[in-house]
Amino acid sequence: MDCSTTQRCVCITSGVCAQEVCHSHACPALPQVTHTECGLDTLRRFLFDIASISADWSMANVLDEQLAAVHACVGPDSHTICALSGGVDSAVAATLVHRALGDRLHCVFVDNGLLRYKERERVEAVFLEHLHLPVTIIDASERTLAKLAGLTDPEAKRKAIGAEFIAIFRDFATQLELKLGTRPAFLVQGTLYPDVIESCPPPGSNQKHSHTIKSHHNVGGLPKDLGFTLVEPLRTLFKDEVRSLGALLGVPKPFLERHPFPGPGLAVRVLGDVTAPGALETLRQVDEIFINKIRAAGLYHRIWQAFAVFLPIRSVGVQGDCRTHANVVALRAVTSSDGMTADWFHFDGAFLADVSNTICNEVRGVNRVCYDISSKPPATIEWE
Ligand code: XMP
């Protein structure tokens, strides 16, 4: 920072103590992180009092800008494919692009075999009845699970799923080309800013090597010869902002309030080989019990994300009069505002006991339930 200038100069610098030197201002490391005491107040003072920036950023402006950006990117004639995952992000991205392009948008929902309990049926109903988005459903579970068989490394799993997704989209584009007489050249994705941050080196950092935390399937996991130009209208937004944008676009509230679900689906919640016998089926049942209990206790909206994790280990138990050697599952529930940091949710003991008893009684092959009490950092939200 050049302190010789008489002009007011402001910047936010990690690791520099709050001080004022020759009209230069700096503030402490990571004021935006929820855990930083008075972090928001520091940012407010910095932006509004010191930098004299006005708070004129509005979601309506974002919507107008993004509609214009989609028009500019896709042009007047081209067609676009959008992959709906059943989550909030892709639904909001699709609704926005549908508003911009109308029937030049072609939505596809891929059942890759990694969906939650009855997810395909539930999502299909929401798209058709509430979002009024025509969607083609593709059952690609066999081909995706075949690619995952035997893979245990989390990054390898992510990359395999990403590559298969793209192969499926290319097939879909070929079908559309036959029907429309022109090949869709664009792919809409609900990529958010945290996906970008965690998959790439920070912008302007000049880092040659990424400090990749994980290859989010829609950022780091894409092949170089994609064959589509990406349209990512949510790329600069955080989850809470996407929910506000969705509300502005008329996406129904219960859908917007759904907990986030990661693109690679249950593959990041079955540790190790996703195709291990019974793993996905067991996980679906456990997850459904946990989420239903959370809803019944009126806690769903107080939690950012809750889910079950299937562990590739067995432990000894006793059920009835018999010794068992059965699966262990973990439960995870966190509070967060943007998924970048998170705290574990403090359920009361009676709730956890009830969930654990129900799971062990109702899900064959599970004899032990653990509750994850790690925050992010040091853990991430998903186990992978
Ligand atoms: P982590 O595990 O990184 O997760 O703390 C932060 C949030 O991101 C979600 N997540 C993903 N979402 N594609 C997505 O669309 C992905 O590859 C992906 N990986 C993690 C995760 O569920 C949490 O909400």
Side-chain angles (χ1 to χ4, degrees):
M1 195 184 317
D2 176 11
C3 293
S4 60
T5 173
T6 49
Q7 267 190 323
R8 171 167 277 199
C9 159
V10 288
C11 76
I12 295 184
T13 316
S14 279
V16 180
C17 295
Q19 57 181 331
E20 183 172 338
V21 186
C22 310
H23 302 297
S24 297
H25 300 264
C27 73
L30 303 176
Q32 77 279 18
V33 172
T34 321
H35 300 100
T36 303
E37 221 175 296
C38 303
L40 265 190
D41 291 336
T42 308
L43 273 181
R44 266 192 211 105
R45 162 120 175 85
F46 190 83
L47 294 172
F48 303 140
D49 300 344
I50 297 174
S52 305
I53 291 169
S54 59
D56 56 2
W57 186 92
S58 84
M59 205 41 87
N61 291 344
V62 173
L63 177 56
D64 289 343
E65 277 166 21
Q66 289 307 320
L67 288 172
V70 171
H71 275 297
C73 172
V74 176
D77 307 311
S78 294
H79 287 251
T80 299
I81 294 177
C82 179
L84 292 168
S85 68
V88 175
D89 311 335
S90 56
V92 172
T95 310
L96 188 151
V97 175
H98 191 244
R99 186 174 284 193
L101 303 182
D103 61 10
R104 287 191 288 134
L105 173 72
H106 307 273
C107 293
V108 57
F109 177 74
V110 178
D111 180 351
N112 57 7
L114 301 166
L115 302 177
R116 286 171 293 192
Y117 184 76
K118 292 205 186 300
E119 181 78 353
R120 178 165 152 186
E121 294 87 328
R122 288 174 184 168
V123 162
E124 199 174 353
V126 171
F127 289 147
L128 295 180
E129 289 160 26
H130 301 289
L131 295 178
H132 310 294
L133 285 176
V135 186
T136 303
I137 310 278
I138 296 179
D139 184 350
S141 41
E142 253 180 58
R143 64 186 273 188
T144 309
L145 293 178
K147 291 277 185 283
L148 284 169
L151 293 186
T152 54
D153 175 69
E155 279 292 291
K157 284 160 55 175
R158 281 178 170 275
K159 296 224 155 117
I161 294 166
E164 201 50 27
F165 253 86
I166 297 302
I168 294 161
F169 295 147
R170 286 194 182 124
D171 293 351
F172 181 56
T174 305
Q175 284 169 22
L176 283 174
E177 188 176 3
L178 290 173
K179 199 168 109 190
L180 304 167
T182 173
R183 190 175 178 83
F186 295 87
L187 175 65
V188 178
Q189 293 208 132
T191 310
L192 303 193
Y193 194 50
D195 308 346
V196 179
I197 296 173
E198 293 195 339
S199 301
C200 309
S205 67
N206 288 329
Q207 280 170 22
K208 292 208 178 68
H209 301 289
S210 152
H211 285 283
T212 302
I213 295 170
K214 62 184 65 169
S215 300
H216 283 258
H217 84 287
N218 44 0
V219 186
L222 294 178
K224 289 199 174 66
D225 57 340
L226 183 62
F228 298 101
T229 302
L230 290 181
V231 178
E232 297 179 307
L234 315 180
R235 200 179 163 89
T236 57
L237 301 182
F238 287 96
K239 186 68 132 202
D240 50 339
E241 295 167 337
V242 171
R243 288 191 167 118
S244 315
L245 184 61
L248 204 62
L249 282 160
V251 177
K253 202 161 177 254
F255 194 80
L256 289 177
E257 288 172 350
R258 287 187 101 194
H259 290 174
F261 186 63
L266 297 184
V268 296
R269 297 180 180 171
V270 171
L271 302 200
D273 187 347
V274 176
T275 62
L280 281 167
E281 200 34 52
T282 304
L283 178 58
R284 287 192 182 102
Q285 289 176 43
V286 172
D287 191 73
E288 181 70 2
I289 291 172
F290 184 37
I291 298 299
N292 284 343
K293 292 276 184 194
I294 286 174
R295 283 192 193 279
L299 298 173
Y300 189 83
H301 298 300
R302 286 176 52 199
I303 293 172
W304 159 271
Q305 198 169 12
F307 54 89
V309 183
F310 182 90
L311 306 183
I313 52 170
R314 284 168 184 261
S315 77
V316 171
V318 52
Q319 279 169 306
D321 287 336
C322 298
R323 174 190 186 276
T324 57
H325 189 221
N327 293 119
V328 183
V329 292
L331 305 178
R332 178 95 162 123
V334 295
T335 54
S336 178
S337 60
D338 53 20
M340 296 295 291
T341 59
D343 281 320
W344 59 278
F345 187 79
H346 293 236
F347 289 113
D348 69 43
F351 175 87
L352 287 173
D354 176 42
V355 174
S356 169
N357 285 339
T358 310
I359 290 170
C360 290
N361 286 337
E362 293 183 8
V363 185
R364 216 180 146 77
V366 174
N367 68 0
R368 196 174 295 269
V369 178
C370 303
Y371 184 57
D372 182 350
I373 53 165
S374 332
S375 316
K376 174 182 179 177
T380 51
I381 295 176
E382 303 291 346
W383 280 42
E384 313 236 345

